[in-house]
Amino acid sequence: MGAYSSGPAGRDRVGSDPGRGALGVEDLPPVAVDDDVLDAESRRWTPARIAVWAVVALLGGTAWVVLAVVRGETVNAIWFVFAAVCSYLIAYRFYSRYIEKHLLRPDDRRATPAEYKADGKDYVPTDRRVLYGHHFAAIAGAGPLVGPVLAAQMGYLPGTLWIIVGVIFAGAVQDYLVLFFSMRRGGRSLGQMARDELGVIGGTAALIATLVIMIIIVAILALVVVNALAESPWGVFSVSMTIPIAIFMGCYLRFWRPGKVTEVSVVGFALLLAAIIGGGAIADTTWGADVFTLDKVALAWGIVVYGFIAAVLPVWLLLAPRDYLSTFMKIGTIVMLAVAIVLVRPVISVPAVSEYASTGQGPVVAGPLFPFLFVTIACGALSGFHALIASGTTPKLVEKERQTRFIGYGGMLMESFVAIMALVAALSIDRGIYFAMNSSAAATGGTIEGAAAFVNGLGLAGVDVTPGLLEQTARDVGEESIVSRTGGAPTLSVGLATIMAQLVGGRGLMSFWYHFAIMFEALFILTAVDAGTRVARFMLQDSLGNVLPRFRDTSWRPGAWLTTAIMVAAWGAVLLMGVTDPLGGINTLFPLFGIANQLLAAIALAVCLAIVAKRGLFRYLWVVALPLGFAAVVTITASFLKIFSDVPAIGYFAQNRAFTAARDAGETSFGTAATPEAMDAVIRNTLIQGVLSVVFVTLSIVVIAAAVAATWRAYRSRASATSEDDPVPSRIYAPAGLVATPAEKQLEERWSAVPQDRRPVRSGH
Amino acid sequence: MAAVAGPGGHLGAVLDAARRGARETRRVWRGVVGEDAYERYRDHVQAQRARGAADHPLLTEREFWRDRTDRQDVNPQGRCC
């Protein structure tokens, strides 16, 4: 594992005529379309092709002009869709192909791990369209639905620009590179690659950083769920019903009809809908409201207990069936949202850039556009967490090397599109309602009168919200109140309910759509919490195993339970800190989530930088250096502001000093903290958050420095070395992109003419 | 793969294309949700046997699915945010 073999970079080509490779596969068609043929194909600009791309470019350009230059009172949401889709198409066609051709140079004559390690279980050559769906379901979750909502306070343009430009030059590049490099290394994980490329110090820092980052990410995702479900008996009932539904599905698959995934998902989905509809009826009864109305602290404890139990239960009982349900919901609702936005085309009256972009005093998340926009929106533009997926399951399933562009780069483009749709949904609701929902209870007092007074007092042009409107909206979506429902999920749900109600069912169905949206966000997040706890536990067990070998044995119950408890306690502590925070929770903690996620991205890109340098491709190093530099500058600046800023709303230690000074002066209330206990809580929380920021930024600087050093060494010595697995000749063929090119189709037909029994196995076709 | 009805417009050809499209959609869907895992495993084992690789026991469908989730217990997969 990880052994280095040195040699000329050119060595990574396999045989000259792979059809009759060393294995003696006689008379089979070639396993790759010739590079020259592919090149000629992509350069052949027929009039039809020119016309299509001209239309794409014109439409995209027009959309960007409408969004960025024209300053009307309102803008139609359809322009966001056009701007995004056209930009993605152009980036995919031109930039990702540039990366493929110059930086990665995939070789379809080499077998992928799925082929040469094929075991029918973990390593299975998988149809590219199927794997695209798999990979997308694994990377997309609640993240792209939440960040853009919070960033909408800065106006629509900054978020839109960052999501689209960010994904093209950073997020999709990271996913593509990590997937490709992991695939060339037999599906090795990011942590292992970091150790191989960056040495012991860089590798260890990367491992610890990954672990801490996972804890933070799980905690803040859980905080989003708590904020969405607190004081909402309807939501609590329907979301808690997902547990018995998943257990039922698990038993169904285990004991009655193994493998009938679609069947059980349809049944589960029907039960889920029943739980949503039933939740409305139960929340209306007095006993229902009594039993299922929970405050934030009780809910947070509920999730902590749930998280522990879910992570030690066998996978088949809860995690696997809920994962099926979650995939089902994910694909269904995203398609539904896209269709609804295109059909309804909501009109958006939010300004392009609001005053909060420059003042940094936005009530939703504190801090000016640079750098805080770029950490508020992480998933959808650049998400480091994806590096863990792209170096986990997916590389073990890729059938042909050239397919990584479609799956890695293309998969991330789709997630970015989800983020754009979430942004549109959040922008389509009344701005007054938006701020009433997303300002912390410390600011609004949690009442409709307080919220109206606070929002109207912000002095935003065109914003005028009445207590009556807030009450009416709450009643429409079937909630007691919508004031200070921070965290993004409730806002997105109101937006989605408003859009969907215009399409199906009108006002009467708004409460259903609202709880439907809350349900699927909660489902994604609970799956992420559960899976994240398990992954973190295994990482901890692995690390502890270096000192206490007993912990290596993952089936050793006490060890498994102890490490799970440690992980749950770690994220649970951050979660409880968030829900009891007198300053509001989301507005102080969410930046940490984004910083953590982007730091992971910086680590992943740093590993990629070292790998590219060791391949000797210095001319194209900028493709990696550009997003790495940006992510590093953004996260390090954001962390430094969080650590050193004198503005209490931004700097954790500044806040800490302000409250300490007030306490020492003998005051019993300060700012939004009304009691001495609350003041103590702020002092404690800000200290922890500040220390976490210091830990993050230190670890990341170590990793990035190690990568730059490795790059510099490679540049100085000019010797190329590779940690890739030795090339094995491939014996199967499949096209690379969504649609096969003429040359690919021709070769595919030659393969299908080969009698079945003489064909090397390509299962699942 | 992506079935396109010919310009001839014969009903049979259109129906044929529709059927092919439906089959293809079903195949991709089953793959995405993971329903075809057993078939792929069975194909793999049968190919191994055909090639004469020694001792490849074939799990039954029930055994395979149990084994699959049980292996996930010790080999967790991340789900993203």
Side-chain angles (χ1 to χ4, degrees):
Chain A
M1 276 265 192
Y4 256 86
S5 59
S6 353
R11 204 179 63 94
D12 59 26
R13 291 272 151 184
V14 185
S16 54
D17 190 359
R20 307 158 204 276
L23 295 174
V25 188
E26 66 300 329
D27 301 331
L28 283 174
V31 294
V33 178
D34 203 66
D35 285 348
D36 299 334
V37 175
L38 280 172
D39 229 32
E41 248 183 353
S42 81
R43 279 160 201 250
R44 196 183 309 127
W45 284 92
T46 58
R49 191 186 257 186
I50 294 172
V52 167
W53 284 103
V55 168
V56 169
L58 268 174
L59 187 61
T62 312
W64 278 116
V65 169
V66 171
L67 292 181
V69 183
V70 177
R71 283 282 174 273
E73 291 279 292
T74 60
V75 56
N76 194 293
I78 201 72
W79 293 113
F80 290 85
V81 175
F82 285 144
V85 171
C86 295
S87 305
Y88 298 154
L89 287 174
I90 291 170
Y92 182 74
R93 168 65 180 78
F94 296 97
Y95 190 52
S96 76
R97 186 163 289 173
Y98 176 86
I99 297 174
E100 176 182 60
K101 189 172 169 188
H102 297 295
L103 196 71
L104 297 182
R105 303 174 182 175
D107 180 0
D108 270 352
R109 288 167 296 193
R110 278 180 79 145
T112 60
E115 188 185 346
Y116 66 79
K117 285 190 177 179
D119 62 0
K121 292 173 177 175
D122 295 320
Y123 294 87
V124 188
T126 303
D127 179 275
R128 61 197 188 282
R129 287 151 299 186
V130 168
L131 187 55
Y132 183 91
H134 259 298
H135 182 69
F136 174 72
I139 61 173
L145 301 175
V146 171
V149 174
L150 303 182
Q153 70 165 345
M154 291 185 190
Y156 69 75
L157 194 55
T160 308
L161 272 170
W162 165 233
I163 291 171
I164 296 175
V165 178
V167 78
I168 289 171
F169 290 102
V173 175
Q174 175 210 258
D175 289 19
Y176 182 21
L177 263 53
V178 172
L179 176 61
F180 183 83
F181 290 140
S182 171
M183 178 195 69
R184 276 279 171 98
R185 286 159 182 76
R188 225 170 282 165
S189 73
L190 180 68
Q192 288 168 317
M193 288 198 284
R195 211 162 23 214
D196 294 345
E197 308 300 334
L198 308 180
V200 179
I201 297 177
T204 310
L207 191 76
I208 299 171
T210 311
L211 199 58
V212 181
I213 285 165
M214 286 193 72
I215 292 168
I216 289 293
I217 288 178
V218 168
I220 291 166
L221 286 175
L223 181 59
V224 169
V225 176
V226 168
N227 280 2
L229 297 183
E231 315 292 344
S232 166
W234 187 340
V236 169
F237 172 81
S238 47
V239 171
S240 48
M241 285 309 286
T242 62
I243 299 170
I245 292 173
I247 290 177
F248 164 75
M249 290 169 65
C251 294
Y252 189 98
L253 284 173
R254 182 89 172 179
F255 303 116
W256 300 314
R257 287 172 67 76
K260 301 288 183 243
V261 176
T262 303
E263 181 183 298
V264 82
S265 301
V266 170
V267 172
F269 181 68
L271 291 172
L272 218 56
L273 290 184
I276 298 172
I277 295 165
I282 283 173
D284 278 343
T285 63
T286 26
W287 67 269
D290 280 350
V291 173
F292 293 105
T293 305
L294 297 174
D295 65 17
K296 286 185 180 179
V297 177
L299 264 175
W301 278 108
I303 289 194
V304 168
V305 172
Y306 164 83
F308 179 81
I309 295 174
V312 296
L313 279 180
V315 164
W316 67 266
L317 188 59
L318 189 56
L319 180 71
R322 207 192 28 220
D323 210 24
Y324 290 133
L325 208 52
S326 163
T327 304
F328 200 83
M329 290 279 275
K330 204 170 285 181
I331 296 170
T333 45
I334 285 167
V335 170
M336 182 184 86
L337 186 58
V339 170
I341 285 177
V342 171
L343 292 181
V344 175
R345 296 185 297 278
V347 171
I348 286 160
S349 51
V350 173
V353 184
S354 83
E355 42 274 65
Y356 297 134
S358 47
T359 63
Q361 286 164 2
V364 182
V365 182
L369 189 142
F370 184 85
F372 289 102
L373 169 73
F374 307 101
V375 295
T376 306
I377 301 178
C379 305
L382 171 61
S383 173
F385 218 95
H386 293 187
L388 302 182
I389 314 282
S391 66
T393 325
T394 313
K396 299 180 180 126
L397 301 173
V398 178
E399 192 171 36
K400 297 295 283 177
E401 290 206 338
R402 283 163 42 77
Q403 294 173 350
T404 46
R405 181 167 76 103
F406 171 54
I407 294 159
Y409 199 96
M412 181 61 192
L413 291 181
M414 187 57 95
E415 166 160 305
S416 174
F417 187 58
V418 174
I420 286 288
M421 290 194 296
L423 183 69
V424 167
L427 291 166
S428 69
I429 69 174
D430 179 88
R431 253 185 123 207
I433 296 177
Y434 171 83
F435 282 108
M437 291 186 76
N438 287 292
S439 305
S440 80
T444 61
T447 62
I448 47 176
E449 292 79 15
F454 173 77
V455 172
N456 293 335
L458 289 171
L460 299 167
V463 170
D464 181 27
V465 68
T466 60
L469 179 65
L470 293 175
E471 197 176 2
Q472 180 60 43
T473 310
R475 207 176 307 134
D476 284 344
V477 299
E479 285 292 290
E480 198 60 37
S481 160
I482 53 158
V483 170
S484 295
R485 305 309 283 279
T486 56
T491 313
L492 177 71
S493 301
V494 169
L496 188 122
T498 316
I499 294 173
M500 286 309 294
Q502 287 176 56
L503 199 64
V504 190
R507 223 178 200 181
L509 266 190
M510 262 185 85
S511 56
F512 170 80
W513 288 120
Y514 175 87
H515 287 95
F516 182 82
I518 290 283
M519 164 75 97
F520 75 71
E521 288 178 277
L523 206 55
F524 299 169
I525 291 180
L526 290 180
T527 309
V529 165
D530 184 346
T533 307
R534 280 174 192 270
V535 173
R537 173 206 129 193
F538 274 82
M539 285 166 68
L540 182 64
Q541 272 193 282
D542 203 39
S543 313
L544 284 179
N546 291 328
V547 193
L548 302 163
R550 188 83 210 256
F551 277 94
R552 277 266 163 74
D553 175 15
T554 47
S555 54
W556 181 46
R557 276 287 158 76
W561 288 43
L562 179 69
T563 43
T564 305
I566 292 173
M567 282 300 128
V568 172
W571 63 254
V574 179
L575 169 63
L576 278 162
M577 183 173 83
V579 297
T580 54
D581 189 7
L583 300 176
I586 283 289
N587 55 354
T588 50
L589 276 174
F590 202 79
L592 263 188
F593 171 84
I595 290 173
N597 209 348
Q598 306 283 55
L599 283 179
L600 195 51
I603 289 172
L605 286 165
V607 173
C608 293
L609 183 82
I611 292 176
V612 171
K614 286 177 186 175
R615 291 179 119 201
L617 299 167
F618 296 99
R619 262 189 76 189
Y620 305 103
L621 203 60
W622 65 269
V623 171
V624 195
L626 179 80
L628 171 60
F630 187 76
V633 167
V634 161
T635 48
I636 293 173
T637 315
S639 301
F640 274 41
L641 284 172
K642 283 283 164 202
I643 297 166
F644 297 115
S645 171
D646 293 333
V647 183
I650 296 175
Y652 290 131
F653 290 112
Q655 191 80 274
N656 185 284
R657 279 193 300 275
F659 274 82
T660 312
R663 188 184 58 185
D664 293 346
E667 289 178 42
T668 53
S669 72
F670 187 71
T672 51
T675 62
E677 290 75 37
M679 290 171 66
D680 286 338
V682 172
I683 292 169
R684 189 180 61 239
N685 293 355
T686 48
L687 184 67
I688 295 171
Q689 291 154 356
V691 170
L692 277 172
S693 301
V694 174
V695 170
F696 280 175
V697 77
T698 312
L699 287 169
S700 309
I701 291 173
V702 169
V703 177
I704 295 168
V708 171
T711 306
W712 179 245
R713 274 197 305 275
Y715 183 73
R716 284 289 297 276
S717 66
R718 288 279 178 175
S720 58
T722 179
S723 49
E724 288 177 3
D725 285 359
D726 287 331
V728 177
S730 173
R731 303 176 61 216
I732 56 178
Y733 175 70
L738 177 63
V739 183
T741 69
E744 287 180 329
K745 219 171 268 172
Q746 239 175 26
L747 185 52
E748 220 180 3
E749 274 158 21
R750 282 178 65 189
W751 273 96
S752 51
V754 176
Q756 199 76 46
D757 56 322
R758 295 198 35 238
R759 227 183 288 172
V761 71
R762 267 180 79 203
S763 24
H765 291 270
Chain B
M1 293 271 160
V4 181
H10 298 297
L11 188 63
V14 173
L15 279 177
D16 209 41
R19 250 197 306 274
R20 259 205 313 268
R23 239 197 333 263
E24 185 69 8
T25 310
R26 176 166 179 273
R27 188 181 68 73
V28 171
W29 171 262
R30 281 169 49 84
V32 171
V33 297
E35 192 162 356
D36 62 354
Y38 181 70
E39 289 138 59
R40 302 203 298 171
Y41 160 78
R42 196 188 49 205
D43 288 353
H44 172 80
V45 172
Q46 280 168 356
Q48 289 285 314
R49 285 178 173 176
R51 209 176 299 159
D55 193 27
H56 266 274
L58 179 64
L59 300 179
T60 65
E61 193 164 0
R62 187 174 290 263
E63 286 165 350
F64 172 79
W65 285 102
R66 289 202 168 200
D67 173 63
R68 188 176 159 86
T69 44
D70 293 347
R71 276 181 311 118
Q72 278 175 27
D73 269 327
V74 289
N75 182 24
Q77 295 148 19
R79 278 286 179 224
C80 198
C81 28

